[in-house]
Amino acid sequence: MATADLAAARSGDPAALERVLIHSRQNLRRYAEYHCVINDVEDAVQESLITVSRKLRDLRVLECFVSWTFRIVKRECNRLKRGRRMFSGEAITDDIMPVVTPEPAEWRHDVAAALESLPTHYRNIILLRDLEGLSIAEIGERLSMTREAVKSRLHRARALAREYLDA
């Protein structure tokens, strides 16, 4: 693929974007065949191409385009697998890390201790998102914060909780 087409597509040239997507489609399809259920390959590729077309302007380094698109496809395949498992009632597994299932009482105590160790503003944001199930926008409205600030605080809160649980 020509770097000029990629740069032009990122700048908003629709003809260049079309050439980039057409050129990428076959590689994404081959990659999806290894990561998706066979019936989901085409859906994953289509959704990924849509995501690429919408988010290409956000790509910081053009040299990362291929690996970036492959990550999008893999994420879409995993999303489709989770949806299929939820629909079928099969257990949902984590494809990246092995599932660790501590004793329920032990797990509850560890999580409670991790939450108690957090500063109040971090604890509140985790509770709003993970316990109450509010969206990022809803949390932002409730706490009078921007979407980006909510996401940043949630990320830091989860990192601190994870650090506590790993210790």
Side-chain angles (χ1 to χ4, degrees):
M1 173 178 359
T3 307
D5 274 346
L6 193 53
R10 188 169 76 170
S11 299
D13 180 0
L17 178 62
E18 185 175 352
R19 287 190 300 273
V20 166
L21 295 178
I22 288 170
H23 181 78
S24 301
R25 181 179 177 66
Q26 190 59 35
N27 291 333
L28 295 179
R29 182 168 174 70
R30 261 188 256 120
Y31 188 78
E33 287 172 355
Y34 286 102
H35 295 284
C36 284
V37 176
I38 192 68
N39 294 338
D40 291 340
V41 169
E42 194 58 37
D43 291 337
V45 171
Q46 287 296 320
E47 289 298 322
S48 298
L49 290 172
I50 290 169
T51 301
V52 167
S53 68
R54 279 189 281 141
K55 305 232 177 189
L56 183 58
R57 290 178 188 233
D58 298 338
L59 182 62
R60 294 181 189 150
V61 181
L62 289 179
E63 289 76 20
C64 297
F65 177 78
V66 174
S67 62
W68 177 67
T69 57
F70 286 163
R71 283 194 315 271
I72 292 170
V73 170
K74 187 166 185 175
R75 197 170 24 247
E76 186 62 30
C77 288
N78 288 338
R79 187 187 69 77
L80 291 168
K81 284 179 191 175
R82 280 192 304 274
R84 185 178 298 276
R85 287 181 187 137
M86 286 175 58
F87 183 69
S88 68
E90 293 177 28
I92 298 173
T93 60
D94 190 349
D95 296 330
I96 298 171
M97 296 177 61
V99 176
V100 178
T101 54
E103 293 296 318
E106 176 188 335
W107 181 80
R108 284 193 298 268
H109 292 298
D110 289 346
V111 170
L115 289 174
E116 287 176 14
S117 74
L118 295 174
T120 306
H121 61 284
Y122 287 147
R123 183 179 328 119
N124 290 341
I125 204 143
I126 285 181
L127 293 175
L128 290 172
R129 177 68 173 164
D130 297 331
L131 189 64
E132 293 185 28
L134 297 180
S135 70
I136 299 294
E138 292 169 331
I139 295 170
E141 287 175 23
R142 185 174 285 188
L143 300 178
S144 301
M145 296 172 64
T146 65
R147 179 179 173 84
E148 291 76 20
V150 170
K151 290 167 81 174
S152 177
R153 186 176 289 178
L154 181 61
H155 175 74
R156 281 182 289 205
R158 286 178 174 164
L160 284 172
R162 194 175 304 115
E163 186 177 301
Y164 179 91
L165 290 170
D166 287 342

